Structure formats: structure tokens, C-alpha cells
Amino acid sequence: MLAVIRIRGETGIRPQAQKTTELLRLHRVNHMVFVDDNEITRGMLQVAKDYVTWGELDDSTVELVLKHRAQTKGHEFLDEEELKEISGYKSYKDLAKALQTGKVKFKDIQDIVPVVRLNPPKGGYEAIRKPFKQGGSAGYRGKDINRLILKMLKPGVDLNGKDEN
């Protein structure tokens, strides 16, 4: 499973890349989706490589994203009781394992918003116009996507800037 994060806005975007980001449901900067790692998805990511970054996820990162950022259709954060009701899995860890092995797809879980909203990364992005291999942020980054996601998860602060602690 791959995580895809939009890192650039819509100004000056090529029409093919714009259509690809729409198909991936990445309408805003710092939004993330989980996609299957297959040939079709890799082709789509190559079209939008200047506007997104992607890589392979670890189980622990998926679990943290589910715990701190997954939302239901009413834009309420997902707690473990709701998780049991809508997915049938007992914990975030079980659901993360099922997502990683391909038993269930994140977008197919009923009443969960398929797009994960993240905060900007702590310390900022590298150069967003450069590829990751040249010291930038765009394009394929492999397992380093987990480090970026952890920089973008700030437990204790909701998306409206209010401190939950």
C-alpha cells in the first residue's frame, strides 16, 4: 500500500496532472490518500509527480494515522468503539494490518472519509519544485514517506488549531 500526499497547489498545474490529482481525490495541499501499489497507480503517480509525493507505508505509521487523523463522514475523529462498529476490527492495529495485507481497502470502509487531512510538516517541506532524489519533496520517496507523515501528525492539536490537551 502506498501513501500519496499532495504538496503543491493548483496554480499553473498541467491539465493531465490536475485530472490525475482529482482522480486520486487530492484536491488540497497536505491531503493524503492510501492507494494500492499496482501498475496503473504507478502510472498515475508519474503523471502527477511534480505535485505529489508518495512511498510505502509501515504498519506503525498506518496505525498512528488511523488513531490521530481518520475521520467519519460527520468529520468526527474515529474512536475505537466506532472502529469496531463500522469496520469489524477490534483495534487500530488490527485494521492497519488488514489494510497493509490488502484484506480491506481504506476507501471501501463505510462511513470513513477516504482522504486524510494532515498538518503541514514540522520544519516545512524541502524544495517543493525539486524531486526527492535531488533534495526536494516531490515524487517517489520510498520508506522515507513514513518520516514525513510523522512530521505531519501532531497529536494533541486538531485541524482547526485548537489544543486538545
Side-chain angles (χ1 to χ4, degrees), residues 27-69:
H27 300 287
R28 294 178 181 233
V29 176
N30 299 329
H31 281 196
M32 178 179 70
V33 293
F34 299 123
V35 295
D36 291 332
D37 188 7
N38 57 37
E39 197 173 308
I40 295 168
T41 305
R42 292 279 181 160
M44 291 174 72
L45 294 173
Q46 283 301 314
V47 170
K49 70 180 185 232
D50 295 332
Y51 302 93
V52 298
T53 186
W54 72 92
E56 293 87 11
L57 286 166
D58 293 336
D59 287 340
S60 59
T61 306
V62 176
E63 183 181 349
L64 285 172
V65 168
L66 291 172
K67 190 179 293 184
H68 295 293
R69 288 290 178 229

Side-chain angles (χ1 to χ4, degrees), residues 28-136:
R28 294 178 181 233
V29 176
N30 299 329
H31 281 196
M32 178 179 70
V33 293
F34 299 123
V35 295
D36 291 332
D37 188 7
N38 57 37
E39 197 173 308
I40 295 168
T41 305
R42 292 279 181 160
M44 291 174 72
L45 294 173
Q46 283 301 314
V47 170
K49 70 180 185 232
D50 295 332
Y51 302 93
V52 298
T53 186
W54 72 92
E56 293 87 11
L57 286 166
D58 293 336
D59 287 340
S60 59
T61 306
V62 176
E63 183 181 349
L64 285 172
V65 168
L66 291 172
K67 190 179 293 184
H68 295 293
R69 288 290 178 229
Q71 294 181 345
T72 60
K73 292 287 185 184
H75 291 286
E76 297 293 325
F77 287 108
L78 183 68
D79 60 355
E80 286 207 19
E81 292 175 12
E82 286 179 298
L83 179 72
K84 289 177 189 174
E85 282 181 28
I86 58 180
S87 70
Y89 291 95
K90 296 179 182 177
S91 66
Y92 295 114
K93 190 172 196 166
D94 294 340
L95 180 57
K97 271 196 190 297
L99 287 169
Q100 285 289 79
T101 57
K103 291 181 183 175
V104 67
K105 292 183 181 182
F106 190 71
K107 68 178 184 174
D108 293 338
I109 300 172
Q110 196 172 25
D111 294 332
I112 289 186
V113 178
V115 178
V116 179
R117 295 168 45 189
L118 297 171
N119 291 306
K122 187 175 183 180
Y125 287 111
E126 298 85 11
I128 61 171
R129 291 179 181 246
K130 284 185 178 180
F132 182 71
K133 290 184 178 181
Q134 294 177 1

